[in-house]
């Protein structure tokens, strides 16, 4: 009778509503099987980077720097270690009494493991670690990959100051960030200030680090202001800001042994 017809109509309608509601909550999965890190990272190199932050007891900073300047170049120059010191600094503005080291491991995680196991056998390095440990308040590190569209962090002559801008992104926004910055980086090449761009793989996740070099603080200000006069820069900033949860800027001074001067 009429009742059963009405029943069928309403059940079809509720099934339609059901699937519409589901479509709101089911995420459209990107058909690409690549991990995000493969889409964003340089393909031709499999370099892995390690960024170390060491917070030093204020009275020990000078001794800490001296110790690093004796030992780190030996690791950097030792042919049997597949790693290189990219840069080493003290933070000038930002966290005080802080040392920042950036290492590159040629050949990814196997290279990292090889260096670590060789260093464990190295008596001078174990002594160095013990002595260094007494000077530190805290330390943390991250393993990073480099963005495919950023400059390679190659050694440069100084004197420069360096700015490390660190962005904590909202989880899930890394690809979007990459898409915008692949365009944005073109606006920031005039004064050769772009040094390197990295994103975290291990440690604090959804972290991005952009490394810049400037002659001094005033030059930094002038170069950054000049970007706003280029059509398109403001739009890219407008779209990337909502992806950020937190950000931090450090101004850093290179140690004498740093390949980035």
């Amino acid at each position: 009778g009429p009742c059963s017809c009405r029943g069928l109509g309403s059940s079809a309608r509720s099934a339609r509503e059901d699937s519409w509601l589901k479509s709101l909550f089911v995420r459209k999965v990107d058909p690409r099987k690549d991990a995000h890190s493969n889409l964003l990272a340089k393909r031709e190199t499999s370099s892995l980077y390690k960024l170390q932050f060491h917070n030093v007891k204020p009275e020990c900073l000078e001794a800490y720097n001296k110790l690093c300047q004796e030992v780190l170049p030996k690791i950097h120059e030792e042919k049997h270690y597949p790693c290189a010191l990219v840069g080493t600094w003290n933070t000038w503005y930002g966290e005080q009494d802080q040392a920042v080291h950036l290492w590159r491991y040629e050949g990814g995680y196997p290279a990292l493991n090889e260096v670590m196991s060789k260093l464990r056998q190295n008596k001078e390095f174990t002594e160095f670690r013990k002595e260094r440990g007494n000077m530190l308040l805290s330390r943390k590190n991250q393993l990073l990959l480099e963005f495919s569209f950023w400059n390679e962090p190659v050694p440069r002559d100084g004197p420069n100051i360096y700015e490390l801008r660190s962005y904590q992104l909202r989880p899930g926004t890394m690809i979007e960030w990459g898409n915008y910055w692949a365009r944005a980086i073109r606006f920031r090449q005039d004064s050769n200030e772009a040094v390197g761009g990295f994103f975290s793989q291990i440690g604090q996740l959804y972290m991005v680090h952009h490394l810049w070099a400037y002659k001094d603080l005033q030059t930094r200000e002038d170069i950054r202001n000049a970007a706003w006069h280029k059509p398109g820069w403001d739009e890219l900033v407008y779209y990337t800001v909502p992806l950020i949860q937190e950000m931090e800027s450090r101004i850093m001074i290179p140690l004498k042994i740093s390949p980035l001067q």
Side-chain angles (χ1 to χ4, degrees):
C3 292
S4 61
C5 287
R6 202 163 55 243
L8 275 173
S10 71
S11 74
R13 191 166 61 248
S14 77
R16 266 201 314 277
E17 283 169 6
D18 239 30
S19 70
W20 179 78
L21 274 169
K22 275 204 191 90
S23 77
L24 285 182
F25 297 110
V26 174
R27 285 203 52 184
K28 302 281 185 287
V29 177
D30 183 346
R32 293 192 68 157
K33 297 287 189 289
D34 309 39
H36 282 183
S37 56
N38 292 346
L39 300 177
L40 291 164
K42 287 186 178 6
R43 284 177 181 275
E44 67 281 7
T45 65
S46 52
S47 289
L48 179 70
Y49 289 81
K50 180 169 72 181
L51 185 60
Q52 299 174 298
F53 298 102
H54 289 175
N55 292 317
V56 184
K57 293 174 185 168
E59 68 277 15
C60 295
L61 189 62
E62 210 175 311
Y64 172 93
N65 286 340
K66 192 168 173 292
L67 193 62
C68 286
Q69 299 195 128
E70 282 165 22
V71 179
L72 299 187
K74 293 177 186 170
I75 300 168
H76 172 67
E77 286 152 15
E78 171 60 71
K79 293 286 172 277
H80 302 305
Y81 297 152
C83 70
L85 185 63
V86 178
T88 173
W89 304 267
N90 284 161
T91 303
W92 182 27
Y93 287 105
E95 292 202 43
Q96 297 293 281
D97 306 305
Q98 185 182 63
V100 180
H101 309 289
L102 182 63
W103 292 89
R104 180 197 294 114
Y105 296 88
E106 309 290 351
Y109 294 107
L112 176 74
N113 288 341
E114 187 186 331
V115 171
M116 290 305 131
S117 62
K118 281 179 174 170
L119 283 176
R120 272 197 288 274
Q121 313 302 314
N122 177 329
K123 196 167 175 298
E124 190 187 5
F125 183 75
T126 35
E127 285 300 307
F128 161 70
R129 278 197 68 157
K130 210 164 111 185
E131 203 179 329
R132 186 185 71 180
N134 296 328
M135 301 176 178
L136 297 182
L137 291 167
S138 68
R139 60 198 181 108
K140 68 171 183 177
N141 61 23
Q142 289 174 7
L143 294 179
L144 314 167
L145 294 175
E146 56 186 329
F147 283 114
S148 57
F149 46 84
W150 262 82
N151 306 20
E152 279 286 320
V154 293
R156 61 168 71 200
D157 296 331
N160 293 295
I161 60 169
Y162 287 79
E163 181 175 18
L164 183 67
R165 292 175 76 81
S166 303
Y167 303 88
Q168 177 70 59
L169 300 189
R170 289 194 295 111
T173 59
M174 190 64 80
I175 289 279
E176 217 179 323
W177 177 272
N179 287 340
Y180 288 126
W181 263 97
R183 281 175 283 159
I185 191 67
R186 296 177 207 153
F187 291 92
R188 300 296 310 277
Q189 300 285 11
D190 293 2
S191 308
N192 190 28
E193 72 266 30
V195 179
F198 313 91
F199 58 99
S200 62
Q201 283 289 280
I202 293 179
Q204 202 171 342
L205 294 178
Y206 290 101
M207 280 293 289
V208 167
H209 299 282
H210 290 175
L211 185 61
W212 308 91
Y214 302 103
K215 195 162 71 64
D216 51 37
L217 285 172
Q218 186 56 54
T219 308
R220 169 189 176 273
E221 189 67 5
D222 298 342
I223 289 172
R224 285 173 55 80
N225 286 340
W228 288 98
H229 297 296
K230 298 179 184 174
W233 171 255
D234 56 343
E235 189 189 350
L236 289 163
V237 171
Y238 175 81
Y239 285 118
T240 50
V241 165
L243 312 179
I244 302 167
Q245 271 186 348
E246 218 176 289
M247 61 185 284
E248 186 178 357
S249 161
R250 285 175 177 81
I251 302 292
M252 311 186 303
I253 305 291
L255 296 189
K256 287 197 290 287
I257 55 162
S258 179
L260 288 169
Q261 274 301 311

